Amino acid sequence: MQNAKPLPSYLIQRYHGWRATTYSDNKAWYRRLAESGQHPRAMVISCCDSRVHVTSIFGADEGEFFIHRNIANLVPPYTPDGKNHGTSATVEYAVQALKVAHIVVLGHSNCGGIKGCHDMCSGTAPELLESSSFVGRWMDILRPGFERVKDVDEADRTRALEKEAVLISLENLMTFPFVKTAVEDDRLTIHGLWTDVGEGALEQYDPAMGRFVKI
Amino acid sequence: MQNAKPLPSYLIQRYHGWRATTYSDNKAWYRRLAESGQHPRAMVISCCDSRVHVTSIFGADEGEFFIHRNIANLVPPYTPDGKNHGTSATVEYAVQALKVAHIVVLGHSNCGGIKGCHDMCSGTAPELLESSSFVGRWMDILRPGFERVKDVDEADRTRALEKEAVLISLENLMTFPFVKTAVEDDRLTIHGLWTDVGEGALEQYDPAMGRFVKI
Amino acid sequence: MQNAKPLPSYLIQRYHGWRATTYSDNKAWYRRLAESGQHPRAMVISCCDSRVHVTSIFGADEGEFFIHRNIANLVPPYTPDGKNHGTSATVEYAVQALKVAHIVVLGHSNCGGIKGCHDMCSGTAPELLESSSFVGRWMDILRPGFERVKDVDEADRTRALEKEAVLISLENLMTFPFVKTAVEDDRLTIHGLWTDVGEGALEQYDPAMGRFVKI
Amino acid sequence: MQNAKPLPSYLIQRYHGWRATTYSDNKAWYRRLAESGQHPRAMVISCCDSRVHVTSIFGADEGEFFIHRNIANLVPPYTPDGKNHGTSATVEYAVQALKVAHIVVLGHSNCGGIKGCHDMCSGTAPELLESSSFVGRWMDILRPGFERVKDVDEADRTRALEKEAVLISLENLMTFPFVKTAVEDDRLTIHGLWTDVGEGALEQYDPAMGRFVKI
């Protein structure tokens, strides 16, 4: 691996600062986490977007959330075909090995992946249709969601699709036999959230209302 | 989606606390992030492990890092087969759409996924060999790494494999044509890090030394 | 321009060192900054004093802070008289063109400009009263601040005036219509800091307490 | 000053990190700087642009450079009219009080202020002509520079203007009687530099060649 470069020095300085303060003040906790292993209460499936920090929103410290982040917080349907499926592996590990009590899918506003999916499905982003487009093929997971929102007013459609991405992920989660069993046995609950980055709002899906409701 | 449940109230309370303080004090920044879009400097590929918060270690706020988290911070080799590849989609989006200047792969000590890979390859975890094991099939990505460390002393072998996971990921990153081109054009640099959760140590891969070196 | 001289060779050597190391290691980031433009999160108004490096205190790298430095970190009141006003131009550019989310005014201990203002207002520096004294006329901006601290014990008066300089600047910032509007619309927040050079302390103005409080 | 807000918490954490490491390791130097005052060797006049850190390029520590930063690193002509002139005050303080040995004017590529000046003078940015435009009135200082480059090929004109900004500033510096005297007495030398942000190049003005030459 000859291509690896040294870390920029401002990050090295910040790391040393962290070690001299946050780490140093909490050494006992970090050591215990290392020795006793992690026992997170919840798994969070969130977007890679740099603007969404679930640990900040929920004041979560090291050890609290097992966090998977991918483009547009999507979970594909259960497909045990012997190929590698990174997201499915995180769900399996969280439920089977860590036995988390909650899986939270957290969508968000201004999502670039969702916008891409919208444009691809509307025919204005042909490059995402290419077989070689990883983003396009990943966003295929959300195609059934696009079908459900295509008659929504154009101004509101992307936002509606962001929320569908959460619902599609929850639905796909339930296709995993070990998730379904754990939910039915009351050993696991699943939750759908959507946050507005600019307004700091948080909404959760309410099955009784059939829509997302502000918290 | 009838299975979605309301969020536990302790999380709702923490969210309201965050909104009344952190969000409220930084509203201007969140709004600008929403309106002007994200311009993250770096992508970080880290583990889902609840004990590793890269934003804490590097004092990074919203908008700074585009973060993908999966089991064992692995990147699979470039495989444009038209199937969905969540990790490859994150790399493509970071490099092609966001044009990040750095990709940092951050491994860590006490990694459950790496331990599983070690056991699977050593023959003590036959369940991970099942075709239906998502974790097993995901950890197959690291098999070439296991070959390289299998003669290491057993006491040190898992740790060595954790570091190989970082190197394998860097190597696989370079199989993506758009990553290779960007690295060769000096528009992207890649970095390999490994952190010791209990000791708060940080090491980076130094190609000249051929090993990880403490920062 | 016949008077320009070659740069001292120690600076040329240091530049070549920087180019071979820091620049070379971070070339991708510098190129992106050049091509995609700057998107700084904050403007910092700080003193020219050689002892105050805001980028060091906050571990900030290129691209992070838009920095104006003048004598005593002063902002004059809004005066759109068609004359050239360098500081007002920096504020206008930061808020209107760059749309920064924060303006931080950073005062400091042992400030020579503030000491001069104190002496001028106390009558012990008549040369600063001359119409031709640029420093004197610049420090006139702080005269209302001197009025507020003139009854403070002499031992503490200069330090009190350093902090008044921060408050006067924040007050003057609010006289710019585009600053006021942005603050009222929650698109900009303003912050008053003061640092003790020798002690490495940092204080921020707390409106509820009506004074600077140690961070 | 009721509008001041608390500093974002990531900056507070970074500050504590700096204090526990950089400050702590260099306490003796910071204390001496506080007690013995600053004795900078050079004044640097640089742009506010977040991408240009003169302390990084020249490896300069606290105490070394007295730094004034404004839009487009401009110095206005000597105008002792009793009004406040922030830039002139910094020059006066550096030369008369600190007796610096060098004044370095550092221009740079991709300068937004210079681009604005170019557009204003070309007639494509009428808003900058408004009497109330602080940026426009500040960039008026560079109008004589625009006259000199207006016949340059359009592709190269902005870059040529960035370099003229450095020369105009050096010329204007020489209109200050105390600068002229100090230069003639060999107590002060002045230097014109221009840096290419993306390429990390540094050029200096060579009066014999009549142009900027790569260092």
Side-chain angles (χ1 to χ4, degrees):
Chain A
M1 191 5 71
Q2 289 309 305
N3 300 96
K5 292 277 188 221
L7 207 59
S9 59
Y10 81 105
L11 288 181
I12 292 179
Q13 283 170 20
R14 287 195 200 163
Y15 156 68
H16 285 300
W18 169 82
R19 193 166 199 281
T21 53
T22 306
Y23 171 74
S24 173
D25 293 341
N26 296 281
K27 197 184 286 187
W29 175 238
Y30 287 107
R31 291 207 168 151
R32 178 167 152 209
L33 279 176
E35 284 159 25
S36 314
Q38 59 173 333
H39 302 281
R41 172 165 176 175
M43 173 185 198
V44 178
I45 299 171
S46 171
C47 186
C48 297
D49 193 300
S50 63
R51 298 168 292 186
V52 181
H53 284 189
V54 69
T55 51
S56 175
I57 293 175
F58 290 123
D61 204 17
E62 276 82 352
E64 206 161 346
F65 293 154
F66 182 79
I67 302 174
H68 174 50
R69 293 177 70 167
N70 64 32
I71 301 278
N73 36 271
L74 290 177
V75 177
Y78 179 68
T79 315
D81 59 5
K83 303 273 172 63
N84 62 61
H85 294 282
T87 294
S88 303
T90 65
V91 174
E92 181 182 281
Y93 193 82
V95 176
Q96 302 286 70
L98 298 175
K99 303 192 189 308
V100 296
H102 310 278
I103 299 181
V104 176
V105 178
L106 173 63
H108 70 98
S109 66
N110 314 88
C111 182
I114 301 286
K115 179 69 169 48
C117 179
H118 175 270
D119 294 350
M120 173 177 78
C121 296
S122 311
T124 63
E127 71 282 7
L128 291 173
L129 293 169
E130 304 281 337
S131 146
S132 61
S133 166
F134 291 115
V135 172
R137 299 298 59 70
W138 179 248
M139 296 311 304
D140 281 343
I141 297 170
L142 186 52
R143 279 182 176 275
F146 181 77
E147 290 306 306
R148 296 187 207 158
V149 304
K150 68 183 175 190
D151 297 330
V152 171
D153 254 22
E154 200 171 339
D156 302 325
R157 207 185 297 145
T158 311
R159 187 152 287 199
L161 191 54
E162 288 166 358
K163 295 180 180 175
E164 282 303 326
V166 175
L167 296 181
I168 292 277
S169 290
L170 293 178
E171 288 164 20
N172 287 344
L173 273 175
M174 292 298 289
T175 66
F176 287 72
F178 49 84
V179 172
K180 187 160 183 287
T181 305
V183 167
E184 288 169 356
D185 290 357
D186 287 330
R187 286 182 288 105
L188 174 67
T189 52
I190 62 177
H191 311 266
L193 298 180
W194 176 88
T195 181
D196 183 316
V197 169
E199 295 308 311
L202 188 64
E203 303 185 4
Q204 68 179 332
Y205 185 72
D206 179 339
M209 314 276 285
R211 59 177 180 81
F212 282 79
V213 176
K214 219 171 220 178
I215 282 179
Chain B
M1 187 10 69
Q2 290 309 304
N3 302 95
K5 291 281 186 223
L7 208 58
S9 60
Y10 82 107
L11 289 181
I12 291 179
Q13 282 171 20
R14 287 197 200 165
Y15 157 69
H16 285 301
W18 168 82
R19 193 164 199 283
T21 54
T22 304
Y23 171 75
S24 172
D25 291 340
N26 296 281
K27 198 186 283 189
W29 176 237
Y30 289 107
R31 290 201 170 159
R32 174 158 163 216
L33 280 175
E35 284 160 24
S36 314
Q38 57 174 335
H39 302 277
R41 172 167 178 171
M43 174 184 197
V44 179
I45 298 171
S46 172
C47 186
C48 297
D49 193 298
S50 63
R51 296 167 293 183
V52 181
H53 284 190
V54 70
T55 50
S56 174
I57 293 176
F58 290 123
D61 205 22
E62 275 82 351
E64 206 161 345
F65 294 154
F66 182 79
I67 303 175
H68 173 51
R69 294 178 69 168
N70 65 32
I71 300 279
N73 36 271
L74 289 176
V75 177
Y78 178 69
T79 315
D81 60 4
K83 303 273 173 64
N84 63 60
H85 294 282
T87 294
S88 303
T90 66
V91 174
E92 183 182 279
Y93 193 80
V95 175
Q96 302 286 70
L98 297 175
K99 300 188 190 310
V100 296
H102 310 276
I103 299 180
V104 176
V105 178
L106 172 64
H108 69 99
S109 67
N110 315 89
C111 182
I114 302 287
K115 177 72 168 48
C117 178
H118 175 271
D119 295 351
M120 172 177 78
C121 296
S122 310
T124 63
E127 71 283 7
L128 290 173
L129 293 168
E130 303 282 337
S131 145
S132 62
S133 166
F134 291 114
V135 173
R137 300 299 58 72
W138 179 249
M139 296 310 303
D140 281 343
I141 297 170
L142 186 53
R143 281 184 175 274
F146 181 76
E147 290 306 305
R148 298 186 204 159
V149 303
K150 67 183 176 191
D151 298 330
V152 172
D153 255 23
E154 199 172 339
D156 302 325
R157 206 184 298 145
T158 312
R159 187 152 289 200
L161 191 55
E162 288 166 357
K163 295 180 180 175
E164 282 303 327
V166 175
L167 297 180
I168 293 277
S169 290
L170 293 179
E171 288 163 20
N172 286 344
L173 273 176
M174 291 297 288
T175 65
F176 288 72
F178 49 82
V179 171
K180 188 162 183 286
T181 304
V183 167
E184 287 170 355
D185 289 357
D186 288 328
R187 281 164 207 291
L188 175 67
T189 52
I190 62 177
H191 310 266
L193 298 180
W194 175 87
T195 181
D196 183 316
V197 169
E199 295 308 310
L202 187 65
E203 303 186 4
Q204 68 179 331
Y205 184 72
D206 179 339
M209 313 279 284
R211 60 179 178 80
F212 282 77
V213 176
K214 217 170 219 174
I215 282 179
Chain C
M1 190 4 73
Q2 290 309 304
N3 301 96
K5 293 282 186 223
L7 208 59
S9 61
Y10 82 105
L11 288 181
I12 291 180
Q13 283 171 19
R14 287 196 200 164
Y15 158 68
H16 284 302
W18 169 81
R19 192 166 200 282
T21 53
T22 305
Y23 172 75
S24 172
D25 291 342
N26 296 281
K27 197 184 283 186
W29 175 236
Y30 289 108
R31 290 201 170 158
R32 176 160 162 214
L33 279 176
E35 285 160 25
S36 313
Q38 57 174 336
H39 302 278
R41 172 167 177 171
M43 174 186 199
V44 179
I45 298 171
S46 172
C47 187
C48 297
D49 193 299
S50 63
R51 296 167 294 184
V52 181
H53 284 189
V54 69
T55 51
S56 175
I57 292 175
F58 290 122
D61 205 22
E62 276 82 352
E64 206 162 345
F65 294 154
F66 182 79
I67 303 175
H68 173 51
R69 294 178 68 169
N70 64 31
I71 302 279
N73 37 271
L74 290 176
V75 177
Y78 179 68
T79 316
D81 58 6
K83 303 276 172 63
N84 62 62
H85 294 283
T87 294
S88 303
T90 65
V91 174
E92 183 181 279
Y93 193 79
V95 175
Q96 302 285 71
L98 298 174
K99 300 187 191 309
V100 296
H102 308 277
I103 299 181
V104 177
V105 177
L106 173 63
H108 70 98
S109 67
N110 313 90
C111 182
I114 301 286
K115 179 71 169 47
C117 179
H118 176 271
D119 295 351
M120 173 177 77
C121 296
S122 310
T124 64
E127 71 283 6
L128 290 173
L129 293 168
E130 303 282 337
S131 146
S132 61
S133 166
F134 291 115
V135 172
R137 299 298 62 68
W138 179 248
M139 297 309 305
D140 281 344
I141 297 169
L142 187 53
R143 280 183 176 275
F146 181 77
E147 290 306 306
R148 297 186 204 158
V149 303
K150 68 183 175 190
D151 297 330
V152 172
D153 254 22
E154 198 171 340
D156 301 327
R157 207 184 296 145
T158 312
R159 186 151 289 198
L161 190 53
E162 288 166 357
K163 295 180 180 176
E164 282 302 327
V166 175
L167 297 180
I168 292 278
S169 290
L170 293 178
E171 288 164 19
N172 286 343
L173 273 175
M174 292 297 288
T175 65
F176 287 73
F178 49 83
V179 172
K180 187 160 183 287
T181 303
V183 167
E184 287 170 356
D185 289 357
D186 286 327
R187 281 165 206 289
L188 174 67
T189 52
I190 61 176
H191 310 266
L193 299 180
W194 175 89
T195 180
D196 183 315
V197 169
E199 295 308 310
L202 188 65
E203 303 185 3
Q204 68 179 332
Y205 184 72
D206 179 337
M209 314 277 285
R211 60 180 179 79
F212 283 76
V213 176
K214 216 170 222 178
I215 282 177
Chain D
M1 192 3 74
Q2 289 309 305
N3 301 96
K5 291 279 187 220
L7 208 59
S9 60
Y10 81 105
L11 288 180
I12 291 179
Q13 283 171 20
R14 287 195 200 164
Y15 156 69
H16 285 301
W18 169 82
R19 193 165 199 282
T21 54
T22 306
Y23 171 75
S24 174
D25 293 341
N26 296 281
K27 196 185 285 188
W29 176 237
Y30 288 106
R31 292 207 168 152
R32 178 166 152 210
L33 279 176
E35 283 159 24
S36 313
Q38 58 173 335
H39 302 279
R41 173 166 177 173
M43 174 185 197
V44 178
I45 298 171
S46 171
C47 186
C48 298
D49 194 299
S50 64
R51 297 168 292 186
V52 181
H53 284 189
V54 70
T55 50
S56 174
I57 293 175
F58 290 123
D61 204 15
E62 276 82 352
E64 207 162 345
F65 293 155
F66 181 80
I67 303 174
H68 173 51
R69 294 177 71 168
N70 65 32
I71 301 279
N73 37 271
L74 290 176
V75 177
Y78 179 69
T79 316
D81 59 4
K83 303 274 173 65
N84 62 61
H85 294 282
T87 295
S88 303
T90 66
V91 174
E92 182 182 279
Y93 193 82
V95 176
Q96 302 288 69
L98 298 174
K99 302 190 189 309
V100 295
H102 310 278
I103 299 181
V104 176
V105 178
L106 172 64
H108 70 99
S109 67
N110 314 89
C111 183
I114 301 287
K115 179 70 169 47
C117 179
H118 175 272
D119 294 350
M120 173 177 76
C121 295
S122 310
T124 63
E127 70 285 5
L128 290 173
L129 293 169
E130 304 281 338
S131 145
S132 60
S133 165
F134 291 114
V135 172
R137 299 299 57 73
W138 179 247
M139 296 311 303
D140 280 343
I141 298 171
L142 186 52
R143 281 183 175 274
F146 181 76
E147 290 305 306
R148 297 186 204 159
V149 303
K150 68 183 176 189
D151 297 331
V152 173
D153 253 24
E154 199 172 339
D156 302 325
R157 206 184 297 147
T158 311
R159 186 152 288 201
L161 190 54
E162 288 166 358
K163 295 180 180 176
E164 282 303 326
V166 175
L167 297 180
I168 292 276
S169 290
L170 293 178
E171 289 164 21
N172 286 345
L173 272 176
M174 291 298 289
T175 64
F176 287 72
F178 49 84
V179 171
K180 188 161 182 286
T181 304
V183 167
E184 286 169 357
D185 290 356
D186 286 331
R187 287 182 286 106
L188 175 67
T189 52
I190 62 176
H191 311 266
L193 299 179
W194 175 88
T195 182
D196 183 316
V197 169
E199 295 308 310
L202 188 64
E203 303 185 5
Q204 67 179 331
Y205 184 72
D206 180 338
M209 314 277 284
R211 59 178 179 81
F212 282 79
V213 176
K214 218 170 219 176
I215 283 179

